[in-house]
């Protein structure tokens, strides 16, 4: 997937290339929706006052017969946001531990 600058808010798109041969379109659509939900949830939890202006384009997915489900794809969407933020801004600062 790609993160692209956009107008304020979150736009989620699915590219035509994100189908899965042999899987019914409604199952794949459910996974797409779960991924998008995870993206939105993670961005909604950013610090108050953070302005979000992004389009997320899901280019392709891989599935596993047993392990691919909505919960896994929702988690993948959340993780994709975390990884994109680290890529763009570096790792978040670690809490300072006082030595006493």
């Amino acid at each position: 997937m790609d993160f692209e600058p956009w107008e304020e808010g979150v736009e989620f798109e699915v590219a035509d290339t994100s189908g899965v041969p042999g899987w019914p379109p409604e199952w794949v659509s459910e996974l797409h929706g779960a991924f998008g939900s995870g993206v939105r949830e993670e961005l909604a939890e950013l610090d108050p006052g953070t302005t979000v202006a992004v389009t997320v384009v899901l280019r392709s997915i891989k599935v596993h017969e047993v392990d691919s489900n909505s919960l896994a794809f929702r988690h993948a969407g959340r993780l994709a946001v975390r990884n994109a933020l680290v890529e763009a801004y570096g790792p978040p600062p670690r809490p300072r531990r006082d030595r006493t």
Side-chain angles (χ1 to χ4, degrees), residues 1-2 19 40-41 45-46 50 54 61 63 66 84:
M1 91 328 343
D2 294 324
R40 287 184 180 91
E41 289 168 10
E45 292 180 7
L46 294 176
T50 301
V54 66
I61 65 172
V63 296
V66 175

Side-chain angles (χ1 to χ4, degrees), residues 50-64:
T50 301
T51 301
V52 176
V54 66
T55 293
V56 179
V57 181
L58 185 60
R59 301 270 179 215
S60 65
I61 65 172
K62 291 184 180 182
V63 296
H64 184 271

Side-chain angles (χ1 to χ4, degrees), residues 4-11 51-55:
E4 302 172 357
W6 194 246
E7 299 170 0
E8 189 171 327
V10 179
E11 185 71 28
T51 301
V52 176
V54 66
T55 293

